[in-house]
Amino acid sequence: MKNFVISTVLFLSVLLSGVLNAADDASKEARDKANNLFKQGNYKEAYDLFSKLSLGEETVPVQVPEDLARAVDCLRNLNRINEFDEFIENSIAKNANNWMLLKKAAELYMNTDHYGFMISGKFERGQHRGGGRYMNAMERDRIRSLQLFVQAMPLVNKDGNGNDKFQFYENFARSILQGRGYTDSWQMQFLSDLSKLPDYDEGYYGYNGQTKGAPVDENGNPVFYKVPASFADAKCDGERWRWLLEEAMKAEPQSKNSILLQYAAFLAGQFGVETMAYYGRFYNNRDDGDGNVGEDADKDESGPYAVHTLSEDETIAKLATGIKRFKLPDEYNYIKIYMKIFADSDGYSSSALDRLIEIFRNRRQYPKAADLIQESIKKYGDHDDIKKNQLDQIIGNWGQFVGSKPLAAGKAAELEFIFRNAKAVSFEAFRLKVPELLKDVREYLKSNPKALDWKNIDINDIGQRVVWNNQTKYIGEKAAAWDLKLQPRENNFNRTIVVKTPLKDAGAYLVTAKLADGNTARIIVWLNDTVILKKQGNNDSIYYVSDAVTGAPLSKIKLDFFGYQQMVIDRKGVVKADDRQYNTDTKSFTVETNADGLAIIGPDTMTQNYQWVVGTSADSGRNAYLGFTGIWYGNYYDYEYNLTKTYIITDRPVYRPDQEVDFKIWVRKAKYDQEDVSDFANKALTVVIRNPKNEEIYKKTLTADQFGGIEDKLKLPKSATLGMYSITVETHGGYGSFRVEEYKKPEYEVIVEAPKEPVKLGDKITATIKAKYYFGAPVTNAKVKYKVQRYNHSVNWYPPMYWDWFYGPGYWWFAGDYSWYPGWKSWGCRCPYPW
């Protein structure tokens, strides 16, 4: 009998196993078919299969999350995301004990479309044709996601292995942080209520990319989040987040540094010196008057320029109350956390080292950054020489010119030069053959090229042509050469000096600066003895030629004009061998300035639709040019300066029937240069008043006084029509109005007097509310209802992001750390951000 029972049990077990295997095969077959349909773009058929699998037909629990995710992908491709909520909640109900499905559903809630419309009292997720009240479910979806994580937590602790728990807690922590990271981290101080779903919010959702500053406590100190004893013991979302990170590290100790990297990145985003600038430069390094730029600012040890004085346990950061220097406890010291990760020498060590290099560079602590870069090269190598170039940017000899504006000839030109580390520099200056370049441009255009090459007609960026395009034929004889000893600053800081050159004569120069054991920088310098200005005249173009130093007009200066126009060819006339689509037509002429230094040219000589360049002729003894520029001709008109203006007032804005309206009118020409007399003095002016029915109730011709003013009265009848009345002056326009009402309800204004001095977070303030009638006494004994609201406010503590370009010889320099750029060192200096 005993043997029979055992045999029966074995038979049933084998039978049950066969049934499960058959079910597994069926779900696998359905899943494979659904995946093929999805790849073919048959999203509806794929959705039907994936939805069935995720709603209970999937027999392999680990596959259900993927079934759910692919079904949602199908809905998105079908533009049926409005079905997301119902479908995902049904899947959750069918798989309430599957922690993997709950985790996937939580992630989908965080990553789905959060916008929608309220239609007939129901939220429709996604786009909706026909309009509706725009809503968003961002906060609601976030809370629902956290609810699902909480629901799945005991299940994963029971059934999951170490890696399962690690992935679960890491993703849970990310969801806590999502939407409450660096820019809105103040929200981490609050404990999200997970017992109920919040309502939908009106309007759009989104995150402000600019940090508001790390939150502070009532004493103005930064808020730090501790690790609570349990998830339930957390007093805010920040503590929940810390607890989840700790649990992830406990679950998978070998992946501990992965979590620490995330934690350190959050702390750096909260308390790093980078928070003082919104992705922008906050060190300008301009000259402070002693020939050395920005160096006195470094003596301030409480502001942003003092970051190089920080020890590794302190920082200067933008908090919610402003910029503050403070110490970081070890638990919240992102530098020490990165160093600990680096010391472990595991797979995350290299990432930690890279962040440390960036941190010390941003702190302007370049020697430390250089040591770490050398350590990185030694330990991890340097593919593509990126680290080597970064190191060279810090410890190498670098220099560049800080732009140059046109200078006046006759006195030695001065240039700004920024450098680091170098102790000597050699300068050379070469004359540029600008007249020859202009001649070549004219000849090129006269040749009627098949297609215009902009590089051949660019006369503004000469440095580009000479250096980058290697057009060395425009470089003339050497004009000067000189050496200069340099005194570099300590700790690899930049120094800017003013270089006095021996260049005085008018012309364009290519100036090069070669640093000993460093790079070569170049710049174009213009010394002008003549200036050509252009102004549009009344149906003509006016050119003014003056001395660059004194501004005095230059008479009898010959100006050579050259213009070109590119015209489309009629395809019927195309020459097959040429197959051109455009013709280039050119014109040229010469004029001479008058005694006032002016050349006034009309449309008969200077044609519109041409691009014109004008320059002094070779025999003028002057050297200047202007162009290429377009012209247009228009007639000046004096109409708006001769308009007649009418000003109308009444003694009151509102009247009752049977009252008298007293009005006054002034008519005058709008000429501010006219004497204090009126063109309408003693003139007859006809006034018309109409009621709200547009019926004429008053028309009278009155004689103006010496100021062009007239006045009269109108007696309103007892049966006067209520509403708005108009007053006009015939032939001269103008408009005035008044109202007629039986009863005028009280009108008053309410003023809230806020504190005159700024307040900081946590301060108590007193606000005074005042109300007064527009026509009468203050409002007394009135009930006041008031509401205090918070609103978003954005402010830049330092200038926002901008790209800083420096003009070199034919090239615009970008001030950023792009030292890896091939060939850069042979051309010029690209300095890292100076912090």
Side-chain angles (χ1 to χ4, degrees):
M1 186 65 181
K2 184 176 180 181
N3 291 336
F4 174 76
V5 173
I6 294 175
S7 299
T8 302
V9 172
L10 288 174
F11 172 75
L12 291 175
S13 177
V14 171
L15 180 62
L16 180 60
S17 176
V19 172
L20 291 176
N21 288 335
D24 291 349
D25 291 341
S27 64
K28 183 180 184 303
E29 182 180 349
R31 191 184 322 108
D32 291 342
K33 182 179 179 181
N35 280 321
N36 289 330
L37 289 169
F38 186 89
K39 292 176 183 178
Q40 296 167 6
N42 297 317
Y43 301 118
K44 182 180 182 304
E45 292 82 358
Y47 172 72
D48 293 338
L49 292 174
F50 280 128
S51 62
K52 289 180 180 179
L53 289 170
S54 61
L55 288 172
E57 294 191 5
E58 177 64 78
T59 58
V60 182
V62 73
Q63 292 290 346
V64 181
E66 186 61 26
D67 298 333
L68 178 66
R70 296 307 293 270
V72 171
D73 287 340
C74 291
L75 287 178
R76 188 171 286 107
N77 282 290
L78 291 168
N79 199 24
R80 289 164 51 184
I81 200 65
N82 60 316
E83 301 176 25
F84 171 85
D85 297 77
E86 181 178 0
F87 166 66
I88 202 167
E89 288 300 329
N90 288 337
S91 297
I92 292 169
K94 291 287 187 179
N95 300 273
N97 294 320
N98 185 336
W99 69 266
M100 293 171 285
L101 182 283
L102 297 176
K103 173 176 172 288
K104 177 59 69 174
E107 294 168 355
L108 290 172
Y109 263 113
M110 289 303 296
N111 298 316
T112 190
D113 296 332
H114 303 295
Y115 68 90
F117 293 84
M118 193 63 70
I119 309 296
S120 299
K122 181 182 178 183
F123 177 73
E124 289 280 344
R125 191 181 295 272
Q127 195 55 259
H128 172 73
R129 296 183 63 181
R133 189 154 57 104
Y134 196 94
M135 308 289 287
N136 82 79
M138 181 66 213
E139 184 62 13
R140 185 183 179 93
D141 291 342
R142 190 184 74 86
I143 294 299
R144 182 61 183 135
S145 173
L146 299 183
Q147 287 177 339
L148 293 171
F149 273 115
V150 172
Q151 181 180 342
M153 191 156 51
L155 299 175
V156 70
N157 286 333
K158 177 183 176 183
D159 301 328
N161 57 33
N163 186 61
D164 291 336
K165 295 176 183 178
F166 172 80
Q167 297 290 340
F168 176 85
Y169 284 114
E170 183 184 34
N171 288 355
F172 194 175
R174 290 182 189 274
S175 294
I176 288 278
L177 196 60
Q178 185 166 343
R180 299 191 167 184
Y182 307 143
T183 59
D184 291 310
S185 59
W186 58 271
Q187 298 181 63
M188 296 281 282
Q189 300 173 90
F190 305 106
L191 188 69
S192 296
D193 185 0
L194 304 183
S195 63
K196 59 182 179 181
L197 289 176
D199 203 353
Y200 301 99
D201 295 320
E202 290 193 38
Y204 296 86
Y205 68 92
Y207 304 123
N208 180 6
Q210 180 176 357
T211 176
K212 298 178 177 63
V216 297
D217 58 21
E218 60 275 8
N219 297 319
N221 297 318
V223 172
F224 299 115
Y225 304 114
K226 299 180 179 180
V227 181
S230 67
F231 187 85
D233 291 331
K235 297 179 181 179
C236 62
D237 284 352
E239 292 189 2
R240 283 174 169 171
W241 176 68
R242 287 293 313 278
W243 184 85
L244 292 169
L245 294 182
E246 289 294 319
E247 291 301 304
M249 289 187 287
K250 291 178 183 177
E252 198 74 62
Q254 62 268 32
S255 297
K256 177 181 179 180
N257 285 336
S258 169
I259 299 298
L260 289 178
L261 277 176
Q262 298 177 41
Y263 178 53
F266 175 82
L267 294 173
Q270 292 275 281
F271 310 123
V273 298
E274 302 86 350
T275 60
M276 290 188 289
Y278 175 43
Y279 300 111
R281 292 176 34 151
F282 48 88
Y283 303 108
N284 196 19
N285 273 353
R286 304 304 300 165
D287 195 337
D288 53 16
D290 60 358
N292 299 318
V293 174
E295 297 177 24
D296 289 345
D298 296 334
K299 300 174 183 177
D300 177 12
E301 296 194 359
S302 60
Y305 292 96
V307 291
H308 65 286
T309 68
L310 292 171
S311 61
E312 293 179 4
D313 64 346
E314 61 179 345
T315 186
I316 304 175
K318 174 186 172 184
L319 304 179
T321 52
I323 294 175
K324 184 175 182 178
R325 182 170 185 159
F326 56 94
K327 286 188 175 295
L328 286 169
D330 289 351
E331 185 181 355
Y332 309 99
N333 189 328
Y334 54 92
I335 293 179
K336 291 190 175 181
I337 295 174
Y338 280 127
M339 286 184 169
K340 184 178 180 181
I341 299 172
F342 169 59
D344 285 348
S345 299
D346 59 8
Y348 304 100
S349 178
S350 177
S351 297
L353 184 55
D354 288 341
R355 283 295 292 121
L356 286 169
I357 293 171
E358 181 182 356
I359 287 169
F360 286 118
R361 289 180 64 195
N362 287 345
R363 288 177 167 230
R364 301 202 300 169
Q365 296 175 346
Y366 301 123
K368 289 183 179 179
D371 291 342
L372 291 174
I373 293 174
Q374 291 174 326
E375 181 73 16
S376 178
I377 295 173
K378 178 181 178 181
K379 196 168 185 178
Y380 304 108
D382 186 16
H383 303 290
D384 301 323
D385 290 335
I386 294 177
K387 294 289 177 62
K388 181 178 179 297
N389 288 330
Q390 286 183 351
L391 179 62
D392 191 39
Q393 280 288 300
I394 295 176
I395 66 175
N397 294 342
W398 290 95
Q400 74 175 41
F401 292 100
V402 189
S404 177
K405 59 185 178 181
L407 304 172
K411 63 178 182 179
E414 295 183 349
L415 304 174
E416 279 191 83
F417 187 72
I418 186 171
F419 71 95
R420 72 169 70 100
N421 303 325
K423 296 183 178 180
V425 58
S426 297
F427 294 96
E428 289 184 321
F430 300 86
R431 283 188 175 273
L432 293 179
K433 302 176 181 179
V434 177
E436 184 175 328
L437 182 144
L438 295 176
K439 178 183 176 182
D440 288 349
V441 170
R442 293 190 185 100
E443 294 301 322
Y444 171 74
L445 291 169
K446 288 180 181 179
S447 69
N448 192 16
K450 180 179 178 180
L452 286 181
D453 186 349
W454 174 249
K455 292 185 296 184
N456 291 332
I457 61 175
D458 183 12
I459 60 175
N460 294 317
D461 203 348
I462 296 178
Q464 174 79 20
R465 301 184 65 160
V466 171
V467 179
W468 287 102
N469 298 339
N470 200 30
Q471 296 180 1
T472 55
K473 67 177 182 177
Y474 299 120
I475 301 178
E477 73 279 4
K478 183 186 294 187
W482 69 101
D483 297 327
L484 186 65
K485 295 292 184 180
L486 302 176
Q487 294 181 350
R489 297 176 65 186
E490 296 179 350
N491 300 320
N492 312 110
F493 280 4
N494 291 343
R495 168 165 283 167
T496 300
I497 59 174
V498 176
V499 179
K500 295 183 178 180
T501 75
L503 305 176
K504 295 182 179 180
D505 296 337
Y509 300 86
L510 170 64
V511 180
T512 65
K514 181 172 180 57
L515 294 172
D517 300 322
N519 72 300
T520 299
R522 300 173 176 86
I523 195 171
I524 299 296
V525 178
W526 291 86
L527 295 180
N528 299 315
D529 62 354
T530 307
V531 174
I532 302 176
L533 300 176
K534 172 192 170 187
K535 178 178 175 59
Q536 199 65 37
N538 186 16
N539 202 30
D540 53 33
S541 292
I542 303 173
Y543 288 84
Y544 175 67
V545 183
S546 70
D547 186 86
V549 178
T550 66
L554 299 176
S555 62
K556 296 183 179 182
I557 298 294
K558 290 182 179 180
L559 297 177
D560 294 330
F561 286 80
F562 178 86
Y564 77 92
Q565 179 186 27
Q566 194 177 42
M567 300 176 294
V568 179
I569 296 178
D570 184 354
R571 296 302 295 170
K572 295 180 181 178
V574 171
V575 180
K576 290 186 179 180
D578 188 274
D579 195 30
R580 68 176 59 245
Q581 297 181 352
Y582 301 95
N583 261 337
T584 301
D585 186 36
T586 63
K587 291 184 178 182
S588 61
F589 61 90
T590 300
V591 297
E592 189 175 85
T593 61
N594 61 21
D596 296 321
L598 298 175
I600 303 175
I601 307 169
D604 294 337
T605 304
M606 199 170 187
T607 312
Q608 291 190 107
N609 302 323
Y610 278 67
Q611 292 292 314
W612 292 92
V613 60
V614 55
T616 54
S617 62
D619 59 354
S620 66
R622 296 278 180 167
N623 187 10
Y625 75 91
L626 177 68
F628 286 98
T629 60
I631 61 168
W632 61 273
Y633 294 108
N635 294 318
Y636 286 169
Y637 56 94
D638 208 30
Y639 169 75
E640 62 187 83
Y641 306 115
N642 285 282
L643 289 176
T644 298
K645 298 291 186 179
T646 303
Y647 186 65
I648 304 172
I649 63 172
T650 59
D651 61 331
R652 292 166 56 187
V654 183
Y655 301 87
R656 291 194 181 97
D658 198 30
Q659 289 186 339
E660 190 172 63
V661 179
D662 189 356
F663 63 87
K664 291 186 179 183
I665 302 173
W666 290 268
V667 183
R668 185 162 180 163
K669 288 287 187 180
K671 290 185 176 180
Y672 295 101
D673 58 345
Q674 185 175 352
E675 296 293 333
D676 195 13
V677 295
S678 175
D679 295 339
F680 298 93
N682 304 317
K683 295 291 181 67
L685 302 174
T686 301
V687 180
V688 177
I689 301 178
R690 296 178 180 273
N691 66 14
K693 299 178 181 180
N694 203 31
E695 298 171 343
E696 188 178 285
I697 64 170
Y698 173 98
K699 184 173 183 179
K700 187 182 294 187
T701 300
L702 306 171
T703 301
D705 60 20
Q706 60 177 331
F707 303 109
I710 55 177
E711 63 177 315
D712 198 10
K713 297 181 179 181
L714 169 66
K715 176 67 175 180
L716 295 172
K718 293 183 179 180
S719 59
T721 303
L722 304 182
M724 184 69 72
Y725 286 67
S726 65
I727 307 175
T728 59
V729 179
E730 282 191 348
T731 71
H732 299 303
Y735 179 81
S737 65
F738 61 88
R739 291 185 63 84
V740 176
E741 296 182 3
E742 286 284 3
Y743 169 73
K744 177 68 175 175
K745 63 182 179 182
E747 292 184 0
Y748 55 89
E749 64 176 342
V750 177
I751 301 173
V752 179
E753 294 182 353
K756 295 180 180 179
E757 298 296 328
V759 296
K760 68 179 181 179
L761 190 67
D763 284 355
K764 292 183 179 180
I765 63 174
T766 300
T768 303
I769 302 175
K770 293 182 178 180
K772 64 179 181 180
Y773 290 100
Y774 280 119
F775 309 104
V779 179
T780 58
N781 299 321
K783 288 185 177 180
V784 177
K785 292 183 179 180
Y786 63 91
K787 179 167 62 174
V788 180
Q789 292 179 300
R790 296 184 66 169
Y791 65 95
N792 290 331
H793 178 66
S794 175
V795 61
N796 288 331
W797 290 92
Y798 292 90
M801 178 179 66
Y802 67 90
W803 303 114
D804 194 359
W805 300 83
F806 295 126
Y807 185 67
Y811 184 72
W812 288 97
W813 299 63
F814 172 64
D817 185 8
Y818 276 69
S819 55
W820 48 265
Y821 186 76
W824 174 253
K825 190 171 182 179
S826 64
W827 153 233
C829 158
R830 192 179 295 271
C831 302
Y833 291 111
W835 61 81

